[in-house]
Amino acid sequence: MGGVFEPVKGGGAAVALDEIEISILRSLAVQLLELIGPGEPEPAADADPLAVLFASDGPTEPPSDPALARLFPDAYGDPGADPAQGSGKDAEELRARSAEFRRFTENDLRTRKREDALAVVRSLDSLSPAGDGAAVLELTGELPLRWLGALNDLRLTIAARLDITEDDESAVLFRLPDDDPRKPMVMAYLWLGGLQETLIETL
């Protein structure tokens, strides 16, 4: 399989990973969990569902960390990024709408992203490569979509740390000298992109 996902007969996807690849993927997923932060505490069994709903308001301001801002963007864009919309009544309305949307959705989105990353960690923990060979990871049921979500989040996070945008991606990624300290992170970014692309193709 050569480190890329391939379809599995009967549905699902499989990839062969060696011990180093497993270690890198697991480490990245754990770092993603740490970045996202702890999930919401479980409500008591006898809690009023309506009270729980209204007590679980999320944040209204976007995260200050650039990586978290990529993972949890404003629903209506950033009015400050467009000089034509950066001030005035329209911009204030967009900010208010984004804040309201974030308030009711970010906690659930964080929970989903945590579950995706945890699914990656647990899948990898179940693997045991034999000697210096590779172990084959098979994803079935909901796991392919969990992995797809986590791979996307990992790439967004690395892109934020490297300050990569879609416009300058190729120039940044393919022209770094080998002694550039960003090179290992760039290689991880490219590798995760290959995994993501081949997983999408299998689905």
Side-chain angles (χ1 to χ4, degrees):
M1 273 179 271
V4 297
F5 280 100
E6 293 186 359
V8 174
K9 188 175 181 180
V15 62
L17 300 169
D18 62 30
E19 194 169 350
I20 293 174
E21 291 168 332
I22 293 169
S23 176
I24 291 171
L25 270 173
R26 190 184 188 286
S27 175
L28 290 172
V30 168
Q31 290 177 60
L32 179 61
L33 284 168
E34 292 170 353
L35 176 67
I36 293 170
E40 290 293 299
E42 288 292 324
D46 58 350
D48 179 1
L50 194 58
V52 170
L53 176 65
F54 285 100
S56 61
D57 287 355
T60 56
E61 294 296 321
S64 58
D65 185 311
L68 285 174
R70 290 257 186 124
L71 294 176
F72 305 103
D74 275 332
Y76 299 98
D78 178 9
D82 183 353
Q85 296 181 340
S87 59
K89 188 176 179 181
D90 290 344
E92 288 177 14
E93 183 179 338
L94 282 177
R95 289 190 185 96
R97 289 167 63 189
S98 288
E100 189 72 359
F101 187 84
R102 184 180 295 278
R103 176 184 168 210
F104 289 111
T105 61
E106 184 167 312
N107 284 345
D108 287 342
L109 186 55
R110 280 181 182 267
T111 298
R112 195 196 78 208
K113 289 180 181 298
R114 279 188 59 80
E115 289 173 351
D116 289 347
L118 278 170
V120 170
V121 172
R122 289 169 180 155
S123 299
L124 296 171
D125 283 347
S126 68
L127 291 181
S128 25
D132 58 355
V136 176
L137 172 68
E138 290 195 12
L139 304 178
T140 56
E142 68 172 12
L143 279 177
L145 290 178
R146 291 282 186 199
W147 267 72
L148 197 55
L151 289 171
N152 186 61
D153 289 343
L154 287 171
R155 294 191 81 238
L156 286 174
T157 301
I158 293 174
R161 295 294 184 237
L162 292 170
D163 200 23
I164 294 172
T165 64
E166 289 183 9
D167 294 336
D168 64 7
E169 179 176 307
S170 59
V172 171
L173 296 185
F174 300 111
R175 296 178 186 171
L176 287 179
D178 289 341
D179 59 353
D180 190 301
R182 297 171 296 170
K183 189 77 171 187
M185 203 179 292
V186 167
M187 298 305 293
Y189 180 81
L190 292 170
W191 177 52
L192 291 170
L195 288 174
Q196 183 182 19
E197 183 178 349
T198 56
L199 182 52
I200 290 171
E201 289 171 357
T202 67
L203 301 179

